[in-house]
Amino acid sequence: DQQVKQNSPSLSVQEGRISILNCDYTNSMFDYFLWYKKYPAEGPTFLISISSIKDKNEDGRFTVFLNKSAKHLSLHIVPSQPGDSAVYFCAASITNFGNEKLTFGTGTRLTIIP
Amino acid sequence: KAGVTQTPRYLIKTRGQQVTLSCSPISGHRSVSWYQQTPGQGLQFLFEYFSETQRNKGNFPGRFSGRQFSNSRSEMNVSTLELGDSALYLCASSFGGPGETQYFGPGTRLLVL
C-alpha cells in the first residue's frame, strides 16, 4: 500500500525555467510533509517542509504548496539550475504522537538541461 | 556543526552472516531513525530510537534489530543475511519532537553475495 506517490519517475526542464514536482498521498492522518533531494551514493538532503496548517512555504528558489482537500503537494523550483539535477523524494509523517516515521514516495529524477 | 556520520560506508558480506552498522547523530539530536533503500521498494522505515528506547518500528522481520547508546549513537544489526538485504542503509537524526526535521547520513552500502 503506497501511501505517498510520486507518479512521475522523471522530469526534464530547461535551465532557468520552473520545475514542478508533484506528490500525492492517501493517508489523511499525515500532517507534516517534507521534500528531500538525493544524489547518487549520498543520503537525502532536506530541502523544505510544510505543516498541514499551512498551504504554502517558501525558501529561496524552493516553494512547496499543499492542497489538503486534494491530498496533493508540489515542489516548485524557480529558476532551475544544473545543480538541481537529482532525485527528489517527498515524505510525510504523522506528528501528533511524536512519531518520527517518514513515509517516502518513490522519487522523481529531475534533469536540468543547460 | 558536524552532520550525521555512518560507518562503514561500504560492506560486502555473504549469505548467512550478520552485520552491524553504526550511526552517529548530529550533536544534540536524541532521535535516530533507520531506513532501507532498494531500487524496488524505495526508502522504507526500519525503526526509530529515542533516548535508548525503540519508539517506532516498521514492517521488517526480526532479523533486523537496533539499539541506541546513552550518547545517542545507534547501531543496526542484521542477522542471517539474505541476498535481498543488499541495499543502502540510511540513518537520520533529529531532536525527536513532533515535526522535527530528520537529517540523513551518507548511508552504508551493503552487498550480500
Side-chain angles (χ1 to χ4, degrees):
Chain A
D1 174 28
Q2 192 71 30
Q3 296 186 63
V4 179
K5 301 177 187 179
Q6 293 175 258
N7 291 318
S8 299
S10 62
L11 176 68
S12 294
V13 174
Q14 206 77 32
E15 181 179 359
R17 306 293 290 267
I18 183 171
S19 295
I20 300 176
L21 297 102
N22 294 303
C23 180
D24 297 295
Y25 61 96
T26 57
N27 189 342
S28 56
M29 295 287 289
F30 288 141
D31 59 357
Y32 186 61
F33 304 89
L34 308 90
W35 284 94
Y36 286 87
K37 169 181 172 181
K38 189 176 184 301
Y39 294 116
E42 292 184 14
T45 302
F46 169 72
L47 277 175
I48 192 168
S49 62
I50 188 166
S51 163
S52 60
I53 62 173
K54 293 185 168 184
D55 53 21
K56 176 183 172 182
N57 189 25
E58 193 171 352
D59 183 2
R61 296 186 299 114
F62 302 94
T63 303
V64 56
F65 294 93
L66 175 63
N67 183 333
K68 288 188 292 294
S69 59
K71 294 193 180 69
H72 176 84
L73 65 154
S74 61
L75 174 68
H76 293 211
I77 306 173
V78 57
S80 300
Q81 298 173 355
D84 296 331
S85 294
V87 178
Y88 288 77
F89 291 94
C90 69
S93 70
I94 305 166
T95 64
N96 51 328
F97 300 114
N99 187 336
E100 291 293 291
K101 172 184 173 179
L102 289 176
T103 301
F104 282 87
T106 50
T108 296
R109 180 177 302 279
L110 175 64
T111 303
I112 305 302
I113 305 164
Chain B
K1 189 155 72 166
V4 179
T5 58
Q6 291 186 246
T7 56
R9 292 294 311 278
Y10 303 94
L11 207 48
I12 300 176
K13 292 285 188 178
T14 56
R15 276 184 303 174
Q17 286 187 310
Q18 75 163 16
V19 67
T20 300
L21 313 181
S22 181
C23 173
S24 292
I26 291 170
S27 178
H29 284 187
R30 295 170 64 191
S31 168
V32 173
S33 298
W34 288 89
Y35 294 83
Q36 180 197 65
Q37 185 184 20
T38 58
Q41 299 295 321
L43 272 151
Q44 301 219 296
F45 174 78
L46 280 154
F47 33 65
E48 182 236 351
Y49 285 86
F50 180 80
S51 292
E52 302 179 65
T53 301
Q54 188 181 85
R55 191 163 64 167
N56 291 294
K57 190 176 188 305
N59 298 323
F60 278 81
R63 299 185 298 107
F64 292 82
S65 63
R67 59 177 176 168
Q68 187 179 35
F69 302 94
S70 58
N71 61 357
S72 293
R73 189 178 69 86
S74 177
E75 287 182 347
M76 189 190 97
N77 185 273
V78 188
S79 62
T80 321
L81 283 165
E82 300 177 359
L83 296 179
D85 297 333
S86 294
L88 180 67
Y89 290 88
L90 294 156
C91 81
S93 77
S94 77
F95 287 109
E100 293 285 351
T101 299
Q102 293 184 36
Y103 295 91
F104 283 82
T108 295
R109 173 74 62 184
L110 171 66
L111 177 61
V112 182
L113 301 175

